[in-house]
Amino acid sequence: MMKTKLFTAVLACLSVAVLFSGCKDDKNDDAVHAYVVRAAITEAGDLDVLTVTLINSELESMCNQVGTKILTESEAREMFDLMVKQIEKSMESIDFGDITKPVGFTVTLNYQNDGKVAFSKTFTVDPK
């Protein structure tokens, strides 16, 4: 049951990735950079190792689907904010079972050339 809900959540995230696969703005006032999205569980609470590995693998796959984006800083911020909202909504919709502790996630948008973080957001999913 949880795998089905996880799969549905990942599909929702991928739909956002597809939206931005053709994202282009005609603004030439900002310098452009290559960005990559990263997302992972950073605080597992009382999730078992297998579940953490599965979710992190799915998040990594989703981020790889987004790929490298060449964007201005303002475009990158817009994309990042939308991705975070979608990932947060998707992760909150998952039934993690009998957890008693919150699960923490971190989403980052990194510069591709040096891996430094351009934008970062951490959120938690509380037990239901």
Side-chain angles (χ1 to χ4, degrees):
M1 179 70 146
M2 188 175 105
K3 288 183 181 182
T4 303
K5 289 183 179 185
L6 178 61
F7 180 73
T8 303
V10 170
L11 283 178
C13 290
L14 287 175
S15 67
V16 173
V18 170
L19 285 174
F20 283 101
S21 65
C23 180
K24 193 67 178 167
D25 193 339
D26 291 335
K27 294 179 186 176
N28 290 325
D29 55 353
D30 290 337
V32 295
H33 301 281
Y35 295 96
V36 292
V37 178
R38 299 286 178 246
I41 292 176
T42 50
E43 185 60 47
D46 53 3
L47 286 178
D48 62 80
V49 174
L50 181 60
T51 302
V52 171
T53 302
L54 176 66
I55 293 170
N56 279 339
S57 177
E58 292 298 328
L59 287 169
E60 182 179 355
S61 177
M62 181 271 306
C63 291
N64 289 338
Q65 287 288 332
V66 174
T68 301
K69 298 294 172 203
I70 308 297
L71 303 167
T72 64
E73 188 172 331
S74 59
E75 291 170 330
R77 170 53 84 181
E78 183 180 334
M79 181 188 86
F80 178 73
D81 290 344
L82 187 56
M83 290 287 297
V84 168
K85 285 178 188 174
Q86 188 62 42
I87 291 170
E88 190 170 2
K89 182 178 176 182
S90 295
M91 293 301 110
E92 287 175 347
S93 71
I94 295 174
D95 180 4
F96 288 107
D98 296 331
I99 64 169
T100 60
K101 298 178 183 174
V103 178
F105 294 85
T106 299
V107 181
T108 61
L109 190 65
N110 302 65
Y111 294 106
Q112 183 190 30
N113 63 340
D114 60 11
K116 291 184 180 175
V117 175
F119 306 106
S120 179
K121 170 77 175 173
T122 300
F123 64 91
T124 58
V125 175
D126 294 319
K128 295 181 179 176

